[in-house]
């Protein structure tokens, strides 16, 4: 028997492990809209991402993995703003009413929702080409918002985690990239352990929420790396009206990326590939010691890869200090 929209919502999404009670959520699933009680003196931070099958993930991918990725990339936006997750809403378009798929998709949301105390409070479901829209809601202290527009000359540029894994993972799982030329994985080195690593990197990115909440008073600007380091850092330099110099030999790469790609391919993946969902943060000299100590305390890898300078361009230098010629572009949604 086919399930109605409301039966699907009740069975798969209005569940105690996903739509759980939380202070600040006065009314969640079950009415025409959710009601949120925003604490006095806090700012509401909202972000929305849409993921479309065969563009942002393979149509045939495991629905649990798809769900985790969909929520993770949105939580990464809250991290980039230094916001504490509050709750999220879900818009799901699916070509068929498949109970097994819906059950597994719902289960894939639970882990991150509970880990970040971020319950599902509403949304919508309809029939059509498979796509997922998640809107996350977070809370900021007014004086502790991480913005793109605060970088100053002399600030050091840091990234969390590793660069390039997202786009290398796309190549590993066989999804076409926006890059002009394929990355060209070294197939004989692509062991099962590397394939498993890239699968995890793609479907289970780690939103750097905790680090961002703890270090928001130490950084001058930030952004999450979704469209490629060069393009995303460019948003910071444009908003801050500054330039940047990157030391590409300092870029942090995973062991799997080093094993399975050439030096040139890794650099392209880091600069232009996107889908890493790590943070790029600028840190004034006076806060570097405390920032790095905090990262160690939180067991979060951070790497200084350059500095903010006067001007309006982002330059990339090799280990000898020579300027690299950059010809490719970061991800553009409509190109």
């Amino acid at each position: 028997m086919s399930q109605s929209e409301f039966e699907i919502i009740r069975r798969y999404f209005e569940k105690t492990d996903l739509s759980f009670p939380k202070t600040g959520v006065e009314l969640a699933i079950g009415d025409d809209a959710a009601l949120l009680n925003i604490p006095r003196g806090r700012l509401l931070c909202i972000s929305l991402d849409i993921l479309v099958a065969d563009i942002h993930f393979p149509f045939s991918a495991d629905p649990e993995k798809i769900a985790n990725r969909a929520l993770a990339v949105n939580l990464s936006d809250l991290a980039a703003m230094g916001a504490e997750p509050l709750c999220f809403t879900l818009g799901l378009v699916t070509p068929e009413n498949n109970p097994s798929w819906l059950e597994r998709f719902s289960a894939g949301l639970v882990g991150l929702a509970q880990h970040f105390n971020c319950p599902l409070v509403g949304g919508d479901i309809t029939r059509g080409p498979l796509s997922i829209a998640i809107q996350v809601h977070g809370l900021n202290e007014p004086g502790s918002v991480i913005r793109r527009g605060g970088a100053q000359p002399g600030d050091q540029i840091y990234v969390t985690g590793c660069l390039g894994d997202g786009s290398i993972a796309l190549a590993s799982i066989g999804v076409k990239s926006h890059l002009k030329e394929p990355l060209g994985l070294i197939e004989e080195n692509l062991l099962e352990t590397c394939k498993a690593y890239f699968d995890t990197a793609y479907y289970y990115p780690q939103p750097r929420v905790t680090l961002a909440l703890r270090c928001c008073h130490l950084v001058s600007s930030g952004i999450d790396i979704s469209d490629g380091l060069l393009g995303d850092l460019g948003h910071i330099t444009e908003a801050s009206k500054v330039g940047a110099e990157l030391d590409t030999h300092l870029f942090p790469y995973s062991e799997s990326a080093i094993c399975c790609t050439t030096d040139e391919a890794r650099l392209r993946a880091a600069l232009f590939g996107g889908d890493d969902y790590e943070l790029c943060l600028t840190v004034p000299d006076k806060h570097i010691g405390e920032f790095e100590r905090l990262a160690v305390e939180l067991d979060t890898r951070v790497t200084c890869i350059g500095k903010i300078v006067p001007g309006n361009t982002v330059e990339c230098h090799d280990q000898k200090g020579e300027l690299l010629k950059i010809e490719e572009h970061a991800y553009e949604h409509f190109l």
Side-chain angles (χ1 to χ4, degrees):
M1 179 181 295
S2 177
Q3 303 172 94
S4 71
E5 172 191 354
F6 299 107
E7 288 170 332
I8 291 173
I9 292 171
R10 282 193 296 269
R11 180 171 181 178
Y12 302 109
F13 300 105
E14 193 178 357
K15 305 192 303 183
T16 55
D17 58 355
L18 185 56
S19 180
F20 48 85
K22 179 177 180 178
T23 300
V25 178
E26 295 297 314
L27 180 64
I29 298 175
D31 222 303
D32 287 319
L35 295 176
L36 306 179
N37 186 356
I38 309 303
R40 185 178 182 86
R42 303 290 294 276
L43 300 175
L44 181 64
C45 181
I46 300 175
S47 180
L48 181 147
D49 271 339
I50 300 173
L51 278 68
V52 180
D54 289 332
I55 295 178
H56 301 102
F57 60 87
F59 178 87
S60 60
D62 184 332
E64 290 191 31
K65 294 179 179 179
I66 296 171
N68 186 92
R69 175 174 167 80
L71 183 52
V73 302
N74 279 273
L75 289 169
S76 183
D77 282 332
L78 291 186
M81 299 293 293
E84 175 189 356
L86 174 62
C87 59
F88 75 99
T89 56
L90 167 68
L92 177 62
V93 182
T94 178
E96 60 178 339
N97 182 348
N98 183 326
S100 175
W101 193 97
L102 289 165
E103 182 66 44
R104 292 167 66 193
F105 179 84
S106 173
L109 296 170
V110 171
L112 281 179
Q114 293 193 347
H115 180 77
F116 290 105
N117 193 22
C118 185
L120 176 66
V121 298
D124 191 23
I125 183 169
T126 190
R127 186 184 300 274
L130 181 60
S131 58
I132 304 152
I134 288 182
Q135 184 177 67
V136 285
H137 303 71
L139 298 174
N140 284 94
E141 297 289 347
S144 299
V145 180
I146 301 175
R147 304 174 185 266
R148 299 178 181 181
Q152 296 291 324
D155 292 351
Q156 301 299 303
I157 302 170
Y158 281 81
V159 292
T160 61
C162 297
L163 297 176
D165 282 343
S167 59
I168 297 172
L170 277 176
S172 173
I173 63 180
V175 176
K176 184 178 179 181
S177 169
H178 67 280
L179 296 173
K180 292 180 180 179
E181 298 293 335
L183 286 175
L185 300 185
I186 305 173
E187 293 294 337
E188 59 268 28
N189 291 352
L190 191 58
L191 307 176
E192 289 304 315
T193 51
C194 291
K195 291 180 180 178
Y197 172 85
F198 290 128
D199 186 84
T200 299
Y202 192 75
Y203 290 111
Y204 296 92
Q206 301 297 310
R208 303 297 185 179
V209 171
T210 304
L211 176 70
L213 287 173
R214 295 280 301 276
C215 77
C216 56
H217 63 293
L218 302 175
V219 305
S220 55
S221 70
I223 193 170
D224 82 324
I225 305 171
S226 57
D227 296 331
L229 174 64
L230 199 64
D232 289 321
L233 177 59
H235 294 315
I236 287 180
T237 58
E238 181 180 5
S240 301
K241 296 180 173 55
V242 294
E245 293 180 354
L246 293 175
D247 297 312
T248 60
H249 65 285
L250 299 178
F251 285 6
Y253 298 114
S254 65
E255 292 183 5
S256 292
I258 294 171
C259 174
C260 300
T261 58
T262 65
D263 293 346
E264 185 270 342
R266 281 195 301 281
L267 182 59
R268 290 176 58 221
L271 290 175
F272 313 114
D275 284 313
D276 285 329
Y277 298 102
E278 295 291 351
L279 296 183
C280 177
L281 303 166
T282 60
V283 185
D285 280 344
K286 64 181 179 180
H287 294 317
I288 285 175
E290 186 177 354
F291 173 76
E292 291 186 347
R293 285 193 295 272
L294 179 60
V296 171
E297 178 185 329
L298 298 175
D299 195 26
T300 302
R301 180 179 182 177
V302 297
T303 306
C304 182
I305 60 168
K307 61 183 177 181
I308 297 297
V309 297
N312 58 8
T313 60
V314 179
E315 294 184 348
C316 296
H317 298 266
D318 63 15
Q319 191 165 5
K320 297 179 181 178
E322 295 180 357
L323 182 66
L324 298 177
K325 184 178 181 180
I326 303 298
E327 296 182 346
E328 204 145 1
H329 299 281
Y331 179 68
E332 295 279 354
H333 293 268
F334 289 98
L335 292 180

